[in-house]
Amino acid sequence: MEFAVEVKDLCKTFSSGWFRKRKKEALKGIDLIVPVGAMWGILGPNGAGKTTLLSILSNLLTPEQGEVRILGLDFRTNGNEIRKRINLSSGHANFLWSMSVQENLKYYAMLYGLSGKSLNSKIETVMDMFSLKDFARVRFEELSTGTKQKLSLAKALINEPELLFLDEPTVGLDPDVTNRIRDIIKYLHQEKKITILITTHNMKEAEFLCEEVAFIINGSIKAKGSPQDLKEKLHLGDTILIDFKGLIPAAALKAMDGIYDIQIHNSSCKITVDNHRKRLAQILEFFTTQNIMMSHIHIKESDLEDVFISFTR
Amino acid sequence: MKTFLSLLLDESIKTKAFMFKNWIMAKRNLFTLFEILFWPSISFLSVGLLAEFVNLQPRMRAFILVGVVSMSTVQVCQLDVAYALLYDVWSKALKHGFIAPVGTRHLLMGSLFVGILRGGLVFITLMAASYIIFDFNFTSPGILAIGLFVLGLFLSASMIGILVSILVLTIGNRAEVAAWSLVSLMLLICGIYYPVSILPYWIVVFAKLLPITYFLEYYRGFYGFEPTFSHVLLKGYTAVIAYLFLEVYLMKVALKRAKRKGILLKLSE
């Protein structure tokens, strides 16, 4: 298997204050492997080290310790080659204020060596993709936050990167624009086959976009895996709430496969299961065979938000 | 052969990118227009009129006017080199440039080209104004002398601009003040309105280190002012080329340091 990102024992400490005495360990021995073609999420609270990690991977920051290979190349010796094949888009997009959308794209395309027809066609393509044509001549300072973000993504695709880093790409955007940007990111991964590494503290976004996620807290990766794996690992199952009439044999119910917990309160029963899709039928059958009348059933799926809370607690 | 040509094309496109950026930014911002029209005109007129008022001899007036024209030319040209980084710092977009496969050479060459264009415009305008308003013929030393003098000024300006860029990468935003103050300080030492021989001896030591000192002495020599130093043109060019090589190296070091210390990211936030 080919890897887009290989990180081993990565450490980064920032110094500040008089005589650089104040130290902050931003990353503490990070290990991470992202296969080519994957969409991975780096999750964590503010200040956890997500942006620091992404900045090192995109060659904007040098670590004091650790090995980093990007697209199979050592980042210390192949910086220029790597930079040709990657790109980055950040939330709270910032570009040259006086330059229009088209001029900004032209400038960045030229930095990647594009010129003439290939430059013009590339600009056309990315403006089409992000519906930026109406704003082609509008200066960056006059754009809305959502359009600025679209420009940031368009700029990140100008060199047709094999590996794309997205640093909180939907932060500060309204729900409508957020959804559209998430759809575009999904399209880039599924249709354009770009390997994407995305940082976010929005768990819904990670769940919607990422196949695998890594939780980074205080500079260390606490867990990684698919969202479902993580939920199971932490026993953060789905919740089935049943309003009932009758007597529940709690011990027998708890002994069933895949049931983590049962709480009965008056005529309401809260059952936590590993996966409601797998367990609901057998629970309903159990209630029926025990002649328990059910008046209302409510299902709540656990999500990464629960995983996040569990880690940060 | 094809590889060499494609490499050359790649280099020129990337250099052109920085020219494009500086050109558009210069075109769109009022303060950049002020830099090439307002401030040079103000200093030129005020100094020129003062020379008229105190009834300076034509030779002395030539001394002063060469100084004021040089100062404005160097000031405008060095700003463009410094702006190559400062525009990105002010836009908080520095990281986008450095994530691309470009080198400091592209950044410096591209911005210097626009600096030469803007500085050249200032030089030509003030040269014409000197003739029209103060009856001073800037071209009397001849085309070659003007060419060597102006090239020296542009190289000196790029030296100052790169120094500002190094400072920005080293100490961050606080260094932007150097874009305007550093050049004034240097021009004070190199004898912009007076010969360096009148300066205290310890300042003359610093003046000797500045290439502009030699270029000014060279050009004023054509108006009858015996240079304080010998071989001024040789010394000026040797010094400025040596400084440029040193600064390009230091800029690479500063960039590496900025990546290590996180300054590049701080300047993009």
Side-chain angles (χ1 to χ4, degrees), chain A residues 237-241 276 298-303 306:
Chain A
D238 301 336
T239 308
I240 302 170
L241 285 163
H276 77 272
H298 177 77
I299 295 164
K300 184 190 167 282
E301 278 188 59
S302 68
D303 52 26
D306 300 318

Side-chain angles (χ1 to χ4, degrees), chain B:
Chain B
M1 188 66 182
K2 198 186 169 191
T3 317
F4 175 73
L5 282 179
S6 59
L7 197 71
L8 204 66
L9 182 69
D10 190 62
E11 289 287 303
S12 72
I13 294 166
K14 288 173 182 176
T15 305
K16 246 170 73 181
F18 288 99
M19 281 162 55
F20 176 72
K21 176 180 81 174
N22 272 38
W23 176 247
I24 298 287
M25 294 300 282
K27 241 174 41 171
R28 299 271 163 81
N29 288 289
L30 190 65
F31 68 87
T32 55
L33 199 67
F34 262 60
E35 280 160 12
I36 58 167
L37 291 177
F38 186 76
W39 299 120
S41 306
I42 293 290
S43 54
F44 172 78
L45 286 173
S46 52
V47 171
L49 290 171
L50 178 70
E52 285 280 299
F53 172 66
V54 295
N55 208 13
L56 288 181
Q57 301 163 356
R59 198 169 146 264
M60 295 305 280
R61 208 167 50 190
F63 189 98
I64 298 286
L65 288 173
V66 167
V68 73
V69 172
S70 306
M71 181 168 135
S72 297
T73 307
V74 171
Q75 174 71 289
V76 170
C77 183
Q78 69 89 23
L79 273 175
D80 261 292
V81 180
Y83 281 163
L85 272 191
L86 285 174
Y87 282 140
D88 284 323
V89 171
W90 293 331
S91 312
K92 299 180 177 181
L94 196 63
K95 64 181 172 190
H96 299 304
F98 283 106
I99 201 183
V102 287
T104 45
R105 63 188 179 281
H106 304 117
L107 180 140
L108 298 176
M109 292 298 287
S111 55
L112 177 61
F113 188 86
V114 179
I116 288 176
L117 215 66
R118 294 207 313 145
L121 186 70
V122 169
F123 184 80
I124 290 168
T125 310
L126 296 185
M127 199 169 70
S130 304
Y131 185 73
I132 296 163
I133 304 170
F134 301 115
D135 196 24
F136 168 63
N137 188 0
F138 219 104
T139 59
S140 60
I143 288 293
L144 181 67
I146 292 183
L148 288 169
F149 175 58
V150 173
L151 181 65
L153 292 184
F154 288 149
L155 290 175
S156 304
S158 62
M159 183 191 95
I160 302 168
I162 299 171
L163 188 57
V164 174
S165 300
I166 292 170
L167 287 172
V168 169
L169 286 175
T170 309
I171 57 171
N173 267 328
R174 284 167 291 172
E176 69 179 37
V177 68
W180 292 274
S181 55
L182 208 58
V183 67
S184 306
L185 190 68
M186 283 196 186
L187 293 169
L188 191 76
I189 295 170
C190 72
I192 199 79
Y193 299 127
Y194 37 79
V196 286
S197 53
I198 68 157
L199 293 169
Y201 77 94
W202 59 273
I203 294 184
V204 177
V205 175
F206 287 109
K208 277 181 182 175
L209 297 172
L210 296 175
I212 311 175
T213 309
Y214 301 106
F215 296 124
L216 283 171
E217 290 233 322
Y218 166 71
Y219 207 69
R220 282 166 175 161
F222 292 101
Y223 295 96
F225 292 93
E226 200 58 36
T228 316
F229 310 110
S230 61
H231 306 99
V232 280
L233 209 53
L234 181 71
K235 282 180 182 169
Y237 275 106
T238 308
V240 80
I241 289 166
Y243 284 138
L244 284 173
F245 273 109
L246 180 70
E247 282 184 334
V248 169
Y249 169 73
L250 287 176
M251 183 134 173
K252 284 181 181 168
V253 173
L255 183 59
K256 270 190 185 168
R257 183 183 173 274
K259 283 187 177 184
R260 213 172 54 242
K261 301 270 179 192
I263 294 171
L264 220 53
L265 292 180
K266 269 187 205 153
L267 292 174
S268 304
E269 283 165 1

Side-chain angles (χ1 to χ4, degrees), chain A residues 12 55 59 61-62 83 88 90 94-99 103 107-108 110-115 139 155, chain B residues 13-14 17-18 20-21 24 28-29 88 91-93 95-96 98-102 259-260 262 265:
Chain A
K12 181 71 201 172
S55 301
N59 220 326
L61 193 61
T62 315
R83 287 200 297 267
L88 165 81
S90 312
N94 283 313
F95 289 101
L96 293 154
W97 72 91
S98 292
M99 277 161 73
E103 286 162 348
Y107 166 57
Y108 288 107
M110 287 166 85
L111 293 186
Y112 287 91
L114 293 177
S115 68
R139 288 185 194 195
K155 171 255 148 193
Chain B
I13 294 166
K14 288 173 182 176
F18 288 99
F20 176 72
K21 176 180 81 174
I24 298 287
R28 299 271 163 81
N29 288 289
D88 284 323
S91 312
K92 299 180 177 181
K95 64 181 172 190
H96 299 304
F98 283 106
I99 201 183
V102 287
K259 283 187 177 184
R260 213 172 54 242
L265 292 180

Side-chain angles (χ1 to χ4, degrees), chain A residues 48-144:
Chain A
K50 304 185 297 289
T51 301
T52 303
L53 176 61
L54 224 60
S55 301
I56 290 173
L57 300 181
S58 51
N59 220 326
L60 292 167
L61 193 61
T62 315
E64 54 265 352
Q65 190 189 308
E67 286 174 32
V68 179
R69 292 182 78 80
I70 303 289
L71 300 164
L73 301 167
D74 186 331
F75 91 125
R76 287 185 202 270
T77 49
N78 298 282
N80 210 42
E81 187 54 37
I82 291 169
R83 287 200 297 267
K84 285 179 193 169
R85 297 164 63 189
I86 64 168
N87 215 321
L88 165 81
S89 168
S90 312
H92 298 304
N94 283 313
F95 289 101
L96 293 154
W97 72 91
S98 292
M99 277 161 73
S100 68
V101 166
Q102 197 168 24
E103 286 162 348
N104 264 301
L105 288 172
K106 185 178 173 182
Y107 166 57
Y108 288 107
M110 287 166 85
L111 293 186
Y112 287 91
L114 293 177
S115 68
K117 280 182 187 164
S118 62
L119 177 137
N120 291 332
S121 95
K122 193 72 222 170
I123 292 173
E124 286 285 307
T125 309
V126 292
M127 284 207 301
D128 261 346
M129 189 183 287
F130 293 95
S131 313
L132 284 169
K133 283 205 161 164
D134 291 341
F135 304 96
R137 290 173 187 278
V138 180
R139 288 185 194 195
F140 180 76
E141 62 190 347
E142 291 162 7
L143 297 174
S144 68

